[in-house]
Amino acid sequence: PLIDLRARGGLKLFQVMPVHRTAFLAAFGLCRVLILFCFVLLFIVGGLAIFGGLGDVTTRGWGLLALLTLAGSVSFLAAGLAIAGLVTNNTLGSALINVINLPIIFLSDLFIPLSTMPGPIQDFSRALPVYLLVDAMRGAAQGTFTISEAGPVFASLGILFAISMVIVSTTFRWRLKR
């Protein structure tokens, strides 16, 4: 939406208003994080209900799932905002997102077991924030992962967030450069 708004000139109005770009991006991000957070939790609850695991998640597990969902939502949304700052139109943005999402789907151990992949790819995947998040969320739902073990997950998501915010702060523009 941000790419489309900028491409259509919808952000130019904000440039003359007393709205700092940091405040605009924070509000934009907060709205998206709240929607994404609710959406992901709904999917988790729905998936657990469909596959019979809803009653197996403890109160601590739900709390950890919510915390991990929030941290993942913030970090990956920041990465999306960074991408939005780098591209100039929806077509390029969609193509770039697809180029990024496809490997993430395969390397996250979410749809295809990581154990079926070659050793070097497994090692590479285990260092990615998306793999760490998926593994931690799976463990939180099963009760085998605790908050004390979440340091590497939060560190990797924090690094992704920090890098993304540096890119956002240097690339975000109210209007396209001509």
Side-chain angles (χ1 to χ4, degrees):
L2 195 60
I3 297 168
D4 187 48
L5 269 173
R6 187 176 50 226
R8 289 186 293 125
L11 294 179
K12 285 191 277 188
L13 181 61
F14 288 104
Q15 190 174 12
V16 295
M17 293 179 134
V19 176
H20 194 271
R21 70 182 194 166
T22 306
F24 171 79
L25 286 171
F28 183 86
L30 180 62
C31 290
R32 297 289 190 250
V33 164
L34 289 174
I35 292 167
L36 187 59
F37 178 77
C38 292
F39 192 65
V40 170
L41 280 182
L42 183 66
F43 264 106
I44 290 170
V45 169
L48 288 171
I50 289 170
F51 294 106
L54 195 57
D56 298 337
V57 182
T58 65
T59 304
R60 281 191 184 149
W62 281 115
L64 186 53
L65 275 171
L67 188 61
L68 289 166
T69 299
L70 184 61
S73 297
V74 169
S75 297
F76 291 117
L77 180 73
L81 289 174
I83 292 168
L86 296 171
V87 298
T88 56
N89 62 54
N90 280 343
T91 306
L92 180 60
S94 295
L96 187 56
I97 290 294
N98 286 332
V99 166
I100 294 169
N101 276 343
L102 193 59
I104 285 176
I105 288 169
F106 286 105
L107 299 176
S108 68
D109 196 32
L110 193 57
F111 298 108
I112 298 171
L114 201 59
S115 61
T116 62
M117 297 181 193
I121 292 177
Q122 289 182 30
D123 295 338
F124 175 73
S125 295
R126 286 189 179 100
L128 296 175
V130 70
Y131 171 82
L132 294 171
L133 181 63
V134 166
D135 191 49
M137 291 179 85
R138 188 177 287 138
Q142 295 171 343
T144 59
F145 190 82
T146 62
I147 191 75
S148 63
E149 299 170 310
V153 178
F154 291 126
S156 69
L157 292 173
I159 290 168
L160 175 64
F161 177 78
I163 291 169
S164 298
M165 292 313 294
V166 167
I167 294 170
V168 168
S169 68
T170 58
T171 61
F172 178 78
R173 304 287 177 261
W174 291 114
R175 62 175 84 188
L176 293 174
K177 289 184 178 180
R178 303 234 180 228

